[in-house]
Amino acid sequence: MTHPLFEKHQALLEHALEAIARRGYWTPFPEMPSPKIYGETALEEGKAAVLGLHGQRFSLEGQPGTGEWIAPERSPYGVELNVSYPVSEPESLVAAARKAQDDWQKLGPKGRVGLLLEALVRLNRRSFELAHAVMYTTGQGWMMAFQAGGPHAQDRGLEAVTYAWDEMRRIPETALWEKPQGKNPPIRMEKRYEIVGRGPAVVIGCGTFPTWNTYPGLFAALATGNPVIVKPHSNAILPAALTVRVLRELLTEQGLDPNVVQLAVFAQREHTQRLVTHPEVKSIDFTGGCAFGNWLLEHCRQAQVYAELAGVNTVVIESTDDYQGMLRNLAFTLSLYSGQMCTTTQAILVPAGGIDTNEGHKSHEDVGRDLARAIEALLTDVKVATAVLGAIQSEETLRRIEEAASGAFGRVLLTPRRIEHPEFPRAQVRTPVLVACEAKDETAYMEERFGPIAFVVAAPDAAQAASLAERIVREHGALTLGVYSTRPEYQQTMVEVSWRAGVALSLNLTDGVYVNQSAAFSDYHGTGMNPAANASYADSAFVANRFRVIQRRWHVS
């Protein structure tokens, strides 16, 4: 059975299906905030829309609530947000989701996919609004907030819908089963196959990428027939709330129960635990720290948990034929959004005897010193620095920066400094801290220290650097691994390290692509093979276990 919205967006879906098969560059959502693309007044209107919410109540008509309103967000830029959200009881949200699932189920795969494609198109039109919401709540710089919070997140949502459709379309709606009986008439049966969502899903957002990390699970769960309860980070509610509102408005337009998608804002942290352990909750998507992530994996046995946790992302430098390009690439990698990305490099392994480069042999000390200078050069101009660094999202990250700068983990190569933001005087902006240590100092660099903190680690030699990188990933997890080497045999060694450790590998990045960037429809974000994540954005495994096939059959003449 088809649906008008499916037909409307079928060409978009076909292009997306081709993209996940080819894995080349493709996006329907332009990443540049151009007035020619998004409209001459889109920037002003998006900013005004978000500022107009400040001090207001963010209502979600029809969603069960307790009557209490809270406004927990605090902007890293010092912007007064004071947006109030309705508080709900976990049990009420689950009950409403369970009730809404029946109509969502009856809509069928084409209806659900068509509606979600329409939602993504509408979200794209509101990218400037989403960008300001992301910027003010997370501390991302403007360009990153627009790209990662808008088009790139929408890409990831579309990618999840596409994989879901690709899996669901393999299952026929009907079949005529005819079994020969020799001289007797054959036994004939008609069979119908129904794709049924497993049940209410909970998607738990993080405080740094509230759309990019939320959209894959949100759209994968919805496409496969599950109502979703979105539980955003308490300091990044607004981007999720805007997304939920767009979906609810579209559901209402289509005559469906808007509680197919709900927003969970709680006054007490224990309510999140009550929600995720509810026996009716059948899947959970989580991005965040290991403590709560592992708690979810241990206690939510009734649900399938898709978890992206902490890790220690690593780069090995064995040799390079573009020393300055390598330094510039690493400097930007370490500085982008102040290292507050799950993919940012933390441990840089360099042989103690140094490396060969196009500028001659460089000692371990040279590499550390030159990298520190490259970071300083990148961040000399205040406008460039604030655009690249953004602002520090949490007090815990500020504490970690101070601890690293104190020399607690090794010799400080680059001391962090505070930068006064020309537009936001209360913004918490910090440059990276770079620390030198030995491979034996494992307590320093083998623990994720989220934020602009990196270690130049002296490994005994190149072979042991490769072995150490593998052990870091296998034991502590990582989403990214990088290597710089001019030797094909060493590159192959690192390729095999990436296979055994189960981590994506980047080789000799010196141009405009960085190890901490991940492109939808081409890059698999996470592998599910090491402790940093048990799933990938996105592949068939990310969607296929979110639904089941329920059949019915009867005799026909």
Side-chain angles (χ1 to χ4, degrees), residues 213-375:
N213 277 103
T214 298
Y215 281 14
L218 169 62
F219 283 92
L222 286 171
T224 49
N226 307 282
V228 177
I229 300 165
V230 179
K231 169 60 182 73
H233 188 281
S234 60
N235 205 62
I237 301 172
L238 186 55
L242 290 168
T243 301
V244 168
R245 178 179 277 178
V246 168
L247 283 161
R248 288 174 66 88
E249 288 173 351
L250 181 53
L251 286 161
T252 300
E253 287 177 20
Q254 294 295 310
L256 298 166
D257 188 337
N259 288 329
V260 168
V261 185
Q262 299 174 89
L263 183 73
V265 178
F266 300 134
Q268 300 177 40
R269 290 186 177 183
E270 308 84 67
H271 286 186
T272 300
Q273 295 180 336
R274 277 170 46 193
L275 174 64
V276 296
T277 55
H278 193 289
E280 293 281 1
V281 169
K282 298 303 180 183
S283 71
I284 299 165
D285 287 86
F286 171 77
T287 302
C290 289
F292 189 52
N294 287 325
W295 185 94
L296 290 169
L297 291 166
E298 181 180 352
H299 290 87
C300 302
R301 300 298 176 88
Q302 88 292 350
Q304 175 72 35
V305 179
Y306 303 87
E308 181 185 307
L309 309 175
V312 178
N313 300 308
T314 302
V315 163
V316 177
I317 304 177
E318 186 271 337
S319 57
T320 180
D321 57 7
D322 185 359
Y323 187 60
Q324 294 303 320
M326 179 192 76
L327 292 174
R328 287 192 298 269
N329 193 280
L330 286 172
F332 190 84
T333 294
L334 300 179
S335 301
L336 184 61
Y337 187 30
S338 299
Q340 298 171 113
M341 303 172 68
C342 56
T343 50
T344 299
T345 300
Q346 177 176 297
I348 302 169
L349 309 183
V350 182
I355 63 172
D356 291 330
T357 81
N358 58 312
E359 298 181 9
H361 188 79
K362 300 289 183 180
S363 68
H364 174 270
E365 290 74 18
D366 290 336
V367 174
R369 182 189 64 246
D370 293 344
L371 179 56
R373 289 174 176 171
I375 295 171

Side-chain angles (χ1 to χ4, degrees), residues 370-527:
D370 293 344
L371 179 56
R373 289 174 176 171
I375 295 171
E376 288 182 317
L378 171 67
L379 305 176
T380 298
D381 184 279
V382 171
K383 289 185 178 180
V384 172
T386 53
V388 171
L389 294 168
I392 301 299
Q393 189 265 341
S394 76
E395 292 294 328
E396 280 298 302
T397 302
L398 289 170
R399 181 194 61 76
R400 283 190 293 269
I401 294 169
E402 291 178 3
E403 185 179 20
S406 72
F409 305 126
R411 181 167 56 90
V412 178
L413 298 172
L414 181 62
T415 302
R417 57 189 174 88
R418 179 169 184 169
I419 295 178
E420 295 295 329
H421 199 294
E423 185 178 356
F424 303 103
R426 295 166 59 190
Q428 295 287 355
V429 182
R430 298 290 188 280
T431 60
V433 53
L434 193 62
V435 177
C437 63
E438 304 293 323
K440 64 182 179 181
D441 302 324
E442 294 185 1
T443 56
Y445 65 88
M446 275 203 195
E447 173 186 332
E448 186 192 45
R449 304 191 186 280
F450 192 71
I453 302 164
F455 298 84
V456 181
V457 182
D461 54 37
Q464 292 186 66
S467 298
L468 180 57
E470 181 175 346
R471 185 162 72 85
I472 290 172
V473 178
R474 291 172 68 94
E475 294 181 4
H476 302 277
L479 291 172
T480 61
L481 175 65
V483 61
Y484 290 90
S485 176
T486 59
R487 295 170 50 213
E489 61 271 25
Y490 194 81
Q491 293 176 17
Q492 182 60 31
T493 294
M494 291 301 297
V495 167
E496 294 174 15
V497 164
S498 74
W499 294 345
R500 292 191 297 268
V503 63
L505 176 66
S506 296
L507 294 92
N508 296 321
L509 298 185
T510 57
D511 207 342
V513 175
Y514 306 92
V515 70
N516 45 353
Q517 294 176 321
S518 178
F521 305 106
S522 186
D523 293 323
Y524 293 98
H525 176 72
T527 65

